[in-house]
Amino acid sequence: MAKPVYDHRWRKVSEAIRHATPYCEDCMDEGTVTTAEDMRLDVDHIIPIEVDPSKKYDADNLRVRCIRHHSIKTCSENNHWNNRELRKPKQWWLSDEWDSDASSE
């Protein structure tokens, strides 16, 4: 499957969403505040573009996620959990959450 093309319009929408929500929404749900100063923030499509291209710019289909949570969602969508193909950003080695024994408890 080809990678989605992120054009000028997407960059503007993404920037506006990050400006309106300058923290990771998943971290906030967990009771932690993660901002762009802590870790890169991405704007993620809740329903992937490949599933529904019409929702590419739909603000209701967008969620601000830190790179850690964005990778978790992407890996889950791609079924990488079962294959142990999780790619971890450099910061993840600092977290106990990524200890394979701790995550299975």
Side-chain angles (χ1 to χ4, degrees):
M1 206 177 269
K3 274 198 135 200
V5 176
Y6 295 102
D7 54 16
H8 179 72
R9 181 178 174 196
W10 168 253
R11 287 189 293 278
K12 289 292 199 181
V13 169
S14 174
E15 183 179 311
I17 295 291
R18 281 192 311 266
H19 181 73
T21 309
Y23 53 84
C24 173
E25 296 178 78
D26 292 348
C27 287
M28 187 65 74
D29 289 348
E30 295 172 353
T32 306
V33 178
T34 301
T35 66
E37 292 179 11
D38 305 314
M39 190 180 300
R40 188 182 84 212
L41 299 179
D42 295 333
V43 177
D44 181 44
H45 293 88
I46 298 166
I47 298 171
I49 298 169
E50 294 85 6
V51 174
D52 189 350
S54 72
K55 295 185 180 284
K56 180 176 183 177
Y57 305 107
D58 182 355
D60 292 333
N61 187 46
L62 302 174
R63 185 165 173 94
V64 176
R65 290 190 162 98
C66 64
I67 58 172
R68 183 172 66 88
H69 280 111
H70 193 177
S71 293
I72 290 169
K73 178 185 173 271
T74 301
C75 287
S76 179
E77 287 173 347
N78 294 333
N79 199 23
H80 286 192
W81 286 112
N82 294 334
N83 298 327
R84 303 250 186 239
E85 293 179 16
L86 181 63
R87 294 178 303 175
K88 302 175 186 177
K90 292 177 188 174
Q91 298 92 335
W92 288 11
W93 68 271
L94 297 172
S95 172
D96 292 339
E97 179 179 346
W98 297 107
D99 178 30
S100 61
D101 295 332
S103 64
S104 62
E105 293 175 355

